Amino acid sequence: MSVPQEHQSSTVDPPPPPPFDPTQPSIPISYPIKTLEDLGSRAYFKSFHYPFNICSVPLENSVLDNRPRVLVCHDMQGGYVDDKWIQGGSNPDAYAIWHWYLIDVFVYFSHNLVTLPPPCWTNTAHRHGVKVLGTFITEWDEGKAICNKLLSTKESAHMYAELLSELAVALGFDGWLLNMEVKLELGQIPNLKEFISHLTQTMHSSLPGSLVIWYDSVTIDGNLRWQNQLNDKNKPFFDICDGIFVNYSWKEDYPRSSAAVAGDRKFDVYMGIDVFGRNTYGGGQWMTNVALDVLKKDDVSAAIFAPGWVYQTKQPPDFQTAQNHWWSLVEKSWGAVKFYPKTLPFYSNFDQGHGYHISVEGGQVSDAPWNNISSQGFQPFLKFTGNPSPDTIEVFVDFKESYRGGGNITFKGTLEGNTDFTTIIFQGELLMDAVPLHITHSVKSEGDSLLGLSLHFSSAANERTSVLLASWGTNQFSRKFSKIIAPCQVNKPRTAPGWTVLESSIEMNGYTLTEIHAVCYRPKHEHSQLRLEHRADGSEDTLTYSPNEYHAVLGHITMNTYKENTYFPPSSSWLVEGHYIKWSSGSQGSKTVSVKIDWKSKDGTDSQFPKYNIYVEKLPKQAVRNHGVGLGGVQEYLGVANVEAFYVSELPIPATTSSLKFIIQVCGVDGVCQNLDDSPYFQLDVKATTVGGRKMFQLFSYVERNNLINPWAHSTNGQQLLGCKSHGKLGIRHFEWFDSLMCERSKAVIRGLLQSTSRMEIRELLRLPSRERKIWVIMILSMVFVILLCTLSNGKWGKETLVFP
């Protein structure tokens, strides 16, 4: 339908957003490399976003198990959706995967030339022992032109292979899926093989255990013809890399014939299954398990493509239920392939990486909806039950409350006083030694609902032992468990009301912890729960126990070999700096600030801490003491960092605020976080934004963006200013720019400052309070002093330096 003419003339299209410039400070995002020129120039490493995209969770075991494996290829809405926001987004219903115990390899896929996995996927996959691959793909006419350049010479093929390897190692993911979906000339095939082989060898030497997997597309004779099996048309590529992702239009006998061609490498054959069901064996969708059953029988690996189908097609009744249902079909066909706990320390808060609030020690620090897959804890092995009956206990991950993070395991339903309910939450492979195992867990329950944990052990002689950790009312379990331990209640001053933290210790030298169960029960009542039940058939009435509503929440579980909490270095041992500071003025004297905050240990050692909570205190003028110590400021939660940097974007600042204190709360692998009062921080004085001071700060923000030290920033307070080098002269050593070009640029900056200050009306300056007027005058005099010293360092007095308008 056409738009009426009168409405067409009054409609004004909003201006298009400025093009994305990765070199400029902005909210950190993940993004692909779209051209071969950008890959070849290494421009990605010059991006502002690069350091935020580095994976922070190492992969503990880099060796793939010698068995049929499950590869999952992400392909969700073109990639880089809610998951592109490295510091987290605001969509509590964002897509995520949490059935990691069913996956061996995860591929992040998009239709861009170089798809770099967002670090949130790599972090949580590595936490669960899953490898992560990026994707290199060429398609259509543009892809053919790329291949012409890529494969023009052997040297070119090697160069781009090395650049891909460099990216994977620098960002911390584990290899590449190669998908060359273009027709090639026969003469290009030798250099294609060089590209594959050199990438594989370079990855292996740079990152042991890494993978390069070839997609079944172009054949050895250059034709774009999907084989849907491993055969002589694609085996030459398979032979020089770590595996093949076979296209998903295979027939029932293809897996068996592919295994025969692969020989002793049959587990490196990943037969594709398209969950959308596009010409895939079994039909995909809710019949994906049909194809999985065939692959399991024929002893080859599976490659599940686009499991986001559940999310994209809005399968009923809701995403949580549909996702759990669909993955239960995978589990039924294939079984679990990853087990945890496997090493210590082990910690899970059952967080799925999205929710409606954030809590620390049971106290809510944020009520804003959020998503951040990096925040996923170890995911429980919860069994999907479909529609639970009303007379049992329903077990699910819930987001209404939490002890740490944004999730919990909730147990809700009906439970009689003389019964119990047990369900598995983890399957492990943790070998015990002579050191006692310490277990801490948090519980919140209603009424007389009680929640315990049971640990199941197996010896080398296959002897089974079970231990119940339950606080009281356990007489009914005397025959069910080998041992019952009553945990000690821990009184922590920071624990929110309603939560109970319990600690237990057990020594099981030589045994392997194989399972952790939750045990729901209530005290056994003798008479209080008895009621008279009337028979509808007219028979004699009987006394029975009255069923009761049961509700309990498991907030977290921690296992370690020591009782003490993580040691946190004192605040003074950290170097905290602010960069790229940008101020903007708002209404009624308010302001906003954007700043990148970096921190590192002063002794230069790498941090062993997995995450940092970031807060800000907006301190009013009367609440600021000397040395940047605030009095009674409110700590506002800003977000979480998984690297030693956080970007604050356009933070609103009330007009009454005099100073901002950004607090970096360090968190240990056991989930415990440092006290905020003891945490490192970066303090930023807001006073520098008044009238001419704003211009001064804008100047030094410019200088700092060009790699110059800002002498007025809190982080560099007391450091020596760097001035121009004396070309061929000794000059003043402690006044040096980094290079002569920067020195010349500084002259223009200084001239701009002088011109800006000269245009400031004197009456505007006189309207300032006396104290701020003095500060401004001091800053002008200081700048003049800097100009003189910069000129002296050049060994001359030049009008081009001192140009007073």
Side-chain angles (χ1 to χ4, degrees):
M1 182 182 291
S2 61
V3 180
Q5 186 64 37
E6 61 268 24
H7 293 293
Q8 288 183 5
S9 59
S10 61
T11 302
V12 178
D13 292 332
F20 172 61
D21 184 352
T23 66
Q24 294 303 306
S26 62
I27 298 174
I29 64 168
S30 297
Y31 63 95
I33 297 174
K34 298 185 177 182
T35 69
L36 204 61
E37 289 71 26
D38 283 344
L39 175 61
S41 69
R42 301 180 71 252
Y44 185 84
F45 294 106
K46 305 179 183 77
S47 166
F48 172 81
H49 304 266
Y50 159 58
F52 294 95
N53 274 276
I54 297 173
C55 164
S56 59
V57 181
L59 185 65
E60 291 291 336
N61 181 17
S62 62
V63 179
L64 283 174
D65 293 331
N66 189 35
R67 53 163 174 74
R69 308 171 194 126
V70 175
L71 178 151
V72 170
C73 194
H74 149 273
D75 187 45
M76 224 290 295
Q77 294 179 334
Y80 303 104
V81 190
D82 293 301
D83 54 2
K84 74 179 179 182
W85 304 108
I86 297 172
Q87 295 177 174
S90 58
N91 182 8
D93 302 315
Y95 178 72
I97 288 174
W98 51 86
H99 295 81
W100 294 104
Y101 59 91
L102 302 174
I103 303 172
D104 291 289
V105 181
F106 176 80
V107 179
Y108 194 80
F109 181 89
S110 79
H111 289 277
N112 296 286
L113 177 65
V114 181
T115 300
L116 303 170
C120 63
W121 289 104
T122 312
N123 286 336
T124 194
H126 280 185
R127 186 174 292 118
H128 290 86
V130 177
K131 292 180 184 291
V132 176
L133 309 184
T135 304
F136 182 84
I137 186 172
T138 57
E139 301 175 286
W140 313 109
D141 292 340
E142 182 183 3
K144 187 170 180 58
I146 288 171
C147 284
N148 288 341
K149 184 175 181 179
L150 169 70
L151 306 175
S152 59
T153 65
K154 175 181 176 181
E155 291 73 22
S156 174
H158 283 196
M159 179 186 75
Y160 288 111
E162 290 167 7
L163 290 168
L164 290 176
S165 177
E166 180 186 31
L167 280 166
V169 173
L171 295 178
F173 59 93
D174 309 296
W176 295 96
L177 171 68
L178 301 181
N179 188 358
M180 314 294 278
E181 295 209 51
V182 293
K183 187 180 186 307
L184 297 176
E185 300 297 328
L186 188 60
Q188 293 176 307
I189 299 302
N191 284 341
L192 175 60
K193 293 175 69 176
E194 284 288 340
F195 174 68
I196 301 167
S197 176
H198 193 66
L199 176 59
T200 304
Q201 293 171 14
T202 306
M203 283 299 310
H204 289 179
S205 61
S206 303
L207 185 66
S210 56
L211 297 177
V212 174
I213 293 179
W214 174 256
Y215 188 80
D216 167 30
S217 50
V218 69
T219 62
I220 196 64
D221 52 15
N223 292 320
L224 180 57
R225 201 167 287 159
W226 298 269
Q227 299 300 297
N228 301 302
Q229 61 184 313
L230 180 64
N231 60 21
D232 58 352
K233 295 290 187 180
N234 51 29
K235 188 172 184 292
F237 303 128
F238 172 77
D239 290 339
I240 54 177
C241 67
D242 298 303
I244 186 170
F245 185 143
V246 174
N247 193 51
Y248 39 75
S249 297
W250 45 269
K251 301 184 184 302
E252 187 170 359
D253 59 336
Y254 285 10
R256 192 182 314 111
S257 64
S258 297
V261 173
D264 59 3
R265 289 188 62 200
K266 62 182 179 180
F267 301 146
D268 296 334
V269 177
Y270 299 84
M271 302 295 295
I273 306 169
D274 181 11
V275 180
F276 276 83
R278 293 163 289 201
N279 198 27
T280 197
Y281 183 86
Q285 302 183 13
W286 292 108
M287 301 297 290
T288 298
N289 56 304
V290 173
L292 286 171
D293 289 342
V294 172
L295 303 181
K296 186 76 168 179
K297 173 176 65 71
D298 291 336
D299 214 25
V300 294
S301 295
I304 300 173
F305 186 77
W309 168 82
V310 177
Y311 184 88
Q312 288 184 250
T313 58
K314 297 181 172 59
Q315 292 297 300
D318 57 77
F319 176 54
Q320 280 282 320
T321 305
Q323 171 99 321
N324 290 332
H325 183 191
W326 188 88
W327 282 97
S328 73
L329 302 177
V330 177
E331 183 173 8
K332 184 178 179 180
S333 284
W334 213 266
V337 297
K338 298 292 179 184
F339 301 93
Y340 40 84
K342 209 166 187 175
T343 59
L344 294 176
F346 175 77
Y347 164 74
S348 180
N349 59 359
F350 317 114
D351 202 318
Q352 281 189 358
H354 56 95
Y356 301 91
H357 69 275
I358 296 289
S359 295
V360 175
E361 308 305 300
Q364 192 173 107
V365 298
S366 172
D367 60 359
W370 65 280
N371 63 278
N372 189 341
I373 298 174
S374 277
S375 296
Q376 275 194 13
F378 278 100
Q379 294 301 297
F381 293 60
L382 301 184
K383 301 298 181 184
F384 179 77
T385 55
N387 298 315
S389 60
D391 58 348
T392 187
I393 300 294
E394 185 180 0
V395 185
F396 55 95
V397 173
D398 190 38
F399 312 100
K400 293 179 181 177
E401 59 183 331
S402 59
Y403 184 71
R404 293 178 186 147
N408 67 67
I409 302 181
T410 292
F411 307 84
K412 185 178 181 180
T414 301
L415 190 67
E416 296 182 358
N418 59 344
T419 60
D420 61 84
F421 171 84
T422 300
T423 184
I424 189 169
I425 56 175
F426 290 113
Q427 286 183 259
E429 292 179 340
L430 180 63
L431 179 62
M432 307 290 293
D433 56 23
V435 180
L437 177 67
H438 300 281
I439 306 104
T440 306
H441 66 285
S442 54
V443 175
K444 194 174 188 179
S445 60
E446 295 180 2
D448 62 352
S449 301
L450 298 176
L451 182 65
L453 297 176
S454 66
L455 310 180
H456 296 251
F457 299 90
S458 176
S459 70
N462 206 27
E463 297 172 346
R464 306 285 178 173
T465 300
S466 58
V467 179
L468 175 66
L469 311 178
S471 51
W472 62 289
T474 58
N475 291 337
Q476 65 205 67
F477 297 116
S478 57
R479 296 182 180 179
K480 289 187 176 182
F481 296 95
S482 308
K483 189 176 184 180
I484 299 176
I485 297 176
C488 299
Q489 183 170 334
V490 181
N491 295 316
K492 295 188 175 183
R494 291 194 295 159
T495 301
W499 287 95
T500 301
V501 179
L502 302 167
E503 284 187 355
S504 314
S505 296
I506 185 172
E507 188 173 333
M508 296 291 294
N509 188 17
Y511 281 79
T512 297
L513 174 63
T514 57
E515 294 179 357
I516 304 173
H517 293 241
V519 180
C520 304
Y521 69 104
R522 59 173 75 254
K524 185 175 181 179
H525 299 279
E526 295 298 329
H527 303 291
S528 61
Q529 300 296 314
L530 289 174
R531 67 179 174 86
L532 191 65
E533 182 175 292
H534 299 281
R535 298 290 186 180
D537 57 3
S539 58
E540 186 177 351
D541 296 342
T542 59
L543 284 173
T544 62
Y545 282 99
S546 172
N548 287 285
E549 292 300 313
Y550 180 94
H551 187 272
V553 170
L554 182 62
H556 87 287
I557 181 171
T558 302
M559 294 184 170
N560 218 329
T561 53
Y562 52 86
K563 293 182 76 171
E564 295 78 15
N565 287 333
T566 299
Y567 167 75
F568 296 108
S571 173
S572 59
S573 65
W574 295 90
L575 177 64
V576 188
E577 297 180 322
H579 302 285
Y580 304 101
I581 302 169
K582 179 182 178 182
W583 300 90
S584 299
S585 296
S587 60
Q588 299 179 344
S590 66
K591 306 173 182 67
T592 64
V593 67
S594 299
V595 56
K596 179 191 176 190
I597 304 169
D598 297 292
W599 55 93
K600 61 182 178 181
S601 175
K602 287 182 178 178
D603 62 11
T605 58
D606 292 335
S607 172
Q608 301 301 314
F609 299 103
K611 75 168 190 173
Y612 308 85
N613 292 324
I614 312 300
Y615 299 80
V616 64
E617 286 186 32
K618 299 173 182 177
L619 301 173
K621 294 178 182 179
Q622 65 270 23
V624 179
R625 287 179 180 170
N626 294 330
H627 310 297
V629 179
L631 292 173
V634 177
Q635 293 141 352
E636 175 187 341
Y637 178 81
L638 296 180
V640 62
N642 297 100
V643 295
E644 294 178 338
F646 188 85
Y647 186 72
V648 179
S649 177
E650 298 182 353
L651 176 71
I653 307 169
T656 57
T657 303
S658 180
S659 181
L660 300 172
K661 182 178 180 182
F662 296 98
I663 304 170
I664 297 94
Q665 186 182 38
V666 186
C667 299
V669 292
D670 57 0
V672 177
C673 298
Q674 190 173 21
N675 289 330
L676 287 175
D677 291 342
D678 302 326
S679 298
Y681 65 91
F682 169 71
Q683 190 135 350
L684 185 60
D685 195 346
V686 181
K687 292 179 294 185
T689 63
T690 57
V691 192
R694 179 170 62 252
K695 296 176 181 179
M696 180 73 78
F697 230 119
Q698 288 171 345
L699 164 72
F700 284 103
S701 177
Y702 169 84
V703 173
E704 193 168 36
R705 283 197 303 270
N706 289 279
N707 295 323
L708 304 180
I709 290 178
N710 172 2
W712 279 270
H714 176 81
S715 61
T716 55
N717 189 24
Q719 293 189 10
Q720 294 172 325
L721 180 67
L722 301 183
C724 293
K725 282 185 178 179
S726 297
H727 304 291
K729 301 180 182 179
L730 183 62
I732 305 175
R733 284 287 186 190
H734 59 280
F735 275 74
E736 292 185 348
W737 295 111
F738 289 109
D739 53 46
S740 58
L741 179 62
M742 196 63 70
C743 175
E744 294 304 316
R745 188 178 298 173
S746 72
K747 297 175 184 178
V749 175
I750 292 169
R751 282 199 297 272
L753 170 74
L754 296 172
Q755 290 166 2
S756 296
T757 55
S758 69
R759 287 195 296 266
M760 187 176 65
E761 295 180 5
I762 190 67
R763 61 177 177 272
E764 183 181 6
L765 182 62
L766 292 174
R767 280 201 302 267
L768 291 173
S770 174
R771 181 171 175 271
E772 294 194 20
R773 193 185 316 146
K774 291 178 181 178
I775 292 174
W776 171 237
V777 171
I778 291 171
M779 292 175 76
I780 292 178
L781 292 175
S782 300
M783 195 64 228
V784 172
F785 178 67
V786 170
I787 294 168
L788 293 174
L789 287 174
C790 288
T791 306
L792 283 173
S793 69
N794 261 346
K796 62 180 180 179
W797 293 84
K799 288 186 178 181
E800 74 277 14
T801 304
L802 292 174
V803 179
F804 288 84

